[in-house]
Amino acid sequence: MKKYHFVTVFDLLIEYIRDKKIRLDKSRFKDRMATYHDPCNYGRQAQRHFGHGFFEEPRWILSQCMDHWRDLYPCQMNQICCGGGGGTLTTGYNEERIFYARRKFDQIRTSGADMLVVPCHSCHGQFNAVKKEYGMETLEVKYLWELVADCLVVG
Amino acid sequence: METDSLIALNTLNHGRCRTWPFLQDFCLTCGICAGSCPASGVDGFDPRKLLRMIALGMEDVAVSARWPWICTMCGKCANVCPMDIDIPGLVRRIRSLRDREKVPGITHKGLQAALETGNNLRLPKDDYVFILEDVGEEIAQEPGFEGFSVPIDKKGARILTTIHNKLVNTHTEDLKHWWKIFHAAGEDWTVPSENWEGTNWGYFTGDDAAMKIMTGRIAENMERLEIDTLLWPE
């Protein structure tokens, strides 16, 4: 049987950075404060089901792009879900989904960050859809790979 | 004491809603799951109640309730459960028992579209290729990305990527991030022209058969295009 390999978004970004295939400019967001959200499936659920949660990898990548970022509390295995997982962005139960996010936004507000970095399409969609409900319209929600692309040194 | 007369143990169906045997019967009713769940309180929901429902044989009520669909299957409950019960797995199993036409929102409809057309949007191949090439041309106009083009169906490339349907729908700008990184890294990559859907909504609806088909199509693309490595889809 033919075997295929796979890489996660984290593996590939780390490979590019470690092997110096890409160069990053840390000064791009030097005046910004970021925080990182652990998606349930990349973190806690991956740890449970596959024996490895992707906690350290995204934080290492984030540190290659920015000097100023801080973790939410609690995070990693005890992280709080954004409320957009499990298909809730597509079930039409929107009020429930907004209510769900209340604790997450308390965490983000407490962190003092003006940029939220996430490596998950569902989380990204949920944060952008809900941030206005919690008075955080100006919070910039950024994919982890978007942050890397923004910091690329090209040419 | 005649315990059998007090607790009708023989009426419990241990195969019910299981992700493994006796799942719900391990519950100690401590309620730590309920305390940990951000959805507790919505419609009177909490994970402990749902678990008790199943243990007590109220399967029909659980299957028709909104509760299993309000849960995001985040796993916080399972992480704190002293008996290590896979509550999200149970929720997913309950979802799978819902009549497919009664799956809420667009979740099953999107999945159905994907099974029939290869993507959740029913986006025709020509339109899809047009969007990719259009966004590719925009990147090529940026300094440092001259000569960029989107390698669709490139045989023998090192890496195959899939596409999240929203990126060829309302969020085409977000296609650019990975493509720029690939370009800067000199990566040998490709994206398929058919069956490119990166989401697998059977995960949400509890539809294992559909998930297998969607996953199989990615493997078919890898075989057809002679690709070694898949960038883990959405």
Side-chain angles (χ1 to χ4, degrees):
Chain A
M1 201 170 97
K2 183 156 166 48
K3 290 209 172 120
Y4 298 102
H5 300 104
F6 65 83
V7 285
T8 65
V9 291
F10 310 113
D11 300 322
L12 201 54
L13 291 174
I14 289 171
E15 177 193 316
Y16 292 160
I17 298 168
R18 281 218 171 123
D19 296 353
K20 303 201 186 320
K21 289 180 180 172
I22 58 173
R23 285 184 298 139
L24 302 173
D25 176 10
K26 263 193 172 184
S27 70
R28 173 80 200 267
F29 296 109
K30 64 180 177 0
D31 300 325
R32 303 287 298 276
M33 173 61 75
T35 189
Y36 176 76
H37 167 68
D38 287 295
C40 308
N41 283 302
Y42 273 131
R44 182 166 51 226
Q45 294 287 65
Q47 177 67 43
R48 260 184 88 82
H49 295 297
F50 306 118
H52 180 77
F54 290 87
F55 298 121
E56 297 306 322
E57 295 88 343
R59 287 172 169 78
W60 184 83
I61 296 164
L62 184 48
S63 293
Q64 307 311 305
C65 300
M66 292 182 74
D67 283 325
H68 307 297
W69 68 273
R70 46 173 85 110
D71 260 322
L72 299 174
Y73 179 83
C75 62
Q76 303 202 15
M77 283 303 276
N78 288 321
Q79 153 272 29
I80 297 169
C81 171
C82 69
T88 54
L89 281 162
T90 57
T91 54
Y93 296 143
N94 295 328
E95 280 178 34
E96 292 82 351
R97 185 163 52 75
I98 293 166
F99 176 76
Y100 198 118
R102 69 202 182 284
R103 290 187 187 171
K104 193 80 233 178
F105 275 88
D106 285 345
Q107 281 187 299
I108 298 166
R109 193 173 290 113
T110 306
S111 78
D114 55 15
M115 184 198 291
L116 176 66
V117 179
V118 291
C120 166
H121 284 284
S122 294
C123 302
H124 188 275
Q126 162 77 347
F127 284 123
N128 270 329
V130 166
K131 62 186 181 184
K132 201 177 167 192
E133 307 287 339
Y134 293 96
M136 296 192 77
E137 296 94 326
T138 57
L139 180 72
E140 185 178 8
V141 183
K142 216 179 242 314
Y143 291 110
L144 181 65
W145 46 89
E146 179 183 358
L147 177 67
V148 171
D150 284 350
C151 294
L152 278 177
V153 180
V154 289
Chain B
M1 192 165 72
E2 287 289 328
T3 51
D4 279 1
S5 65
L6 298 174
I7 309 164
L9 280 175
N10 57 350
T11 66
L12 291 179
N13 173 2
H14 295 296
R16 185 193 299 121
C17 279
R18 67 185 177 184
T19 52
W20 68 77
F22 311 112
L23 172 76
Q24 62 279 353
D25 300 338
F26 288 134
C27 175
L28 302 176
T29 71
C30 66
I32 294 176
C33 55
S36 75
C37 174
S40 281
V42 178
D43 274 356
F45 167 77
D46 74 51
R48 176 181 171 277
K49 284 187 197 166
L50 190 64
L51 220 71
R52 299 316 298 156
M53 262 181 156
I54 299 303
L56 295 169
M58 298 165 69
E59 182 181 311
D60 293 343
V61 183
V63 170
S64 60
R66 294 165 72 194
W67 289 2
W69 303 92
I70 288 164
C71 162
T72 66
M73 305 194 286
C74 79
K76 203 161 172 63
C77 52
N79 187 46
V80 295
C81 174
M83 295 305 285
D84 205 26
I85 297 173
D86 180 15
I87 303 171
L90 186 79
V91 166
R92 191 168 173 274
R93 180 82 181 101
I94 297 169
R95 288 186 182 192
S96 77
L97 299 173
R98 175 80 73 102
D99 178 355
R100 293 297 89 182
E101 294 310 308
K102 290 179 182 165
V103 169
I106 59 167
T107 326
H108 180 62
K109 294 179 186 75
L111 177 62
Q112 200 62 35
L115 292 173
E116 288 168 18
T117 71
N119 69 83
N120 291 17
L121 306 171
R122 298 186 186 275
L123 186 66
K125 183 174 172 178
D126 288 351
D127 295 353
Y128 163 77
V129 170
F130 177 82
I131 292 166
L132 297 196
E133 290 179 343
D134 196 44
V135 174
E137 283 166 22
E138 282 180 22
I139 292 178
Q141 286 168 13
E142 292 185 38
F145 296 95
E146 296 85 359
F148 177 86
S149 68
V150 188
I152 302 170
D153 280 344
K154 185 184 177 192
K155 269 205 171 178
R158 182 175 87 111
I159 297 235
L160 179 81
T161 69
T162 55
I163 303 275
H164 188 301
N165 58 75
K166 74 177 174 185
L167 302 190
V168 285
N169 189 9
T170 49
H171 293 76
T172 52
E173 280 295 310
D174 288 331
L175 282 169
K176 294 180 179 176
H177 317 309
W178 266 112
W179 293 0
K180 284 182 176 177
I181 296 169
F182 288 149
H183 183 80
E187 182 60 85
D188 182 13
W189 65 286
T190 190
V191 58
S193 61
E194 291 177 342
N195 291 333
W196 46 263
E197 181 60 66
T199 71
N200 200 332
W201 284 359
Y203 178 66
F204 302 145
T205 66
D207 191 338
D208 288 340
M211 277 194 86
K212 197 172 172 186
I213 292 169
M214 295 299 290
T215 310
R217 286 175 180 173
I218 294 174
E220 280 168 21
N221 268 326
M222 294 186 74
E223 193 164 313
R224 177 172 66 88
L225 298 171
E226 297 163 17
I227 310 285
D228 177 69
T229 301
L230 172 71
L231 178 58
W232 199 343
E234 319 308 331

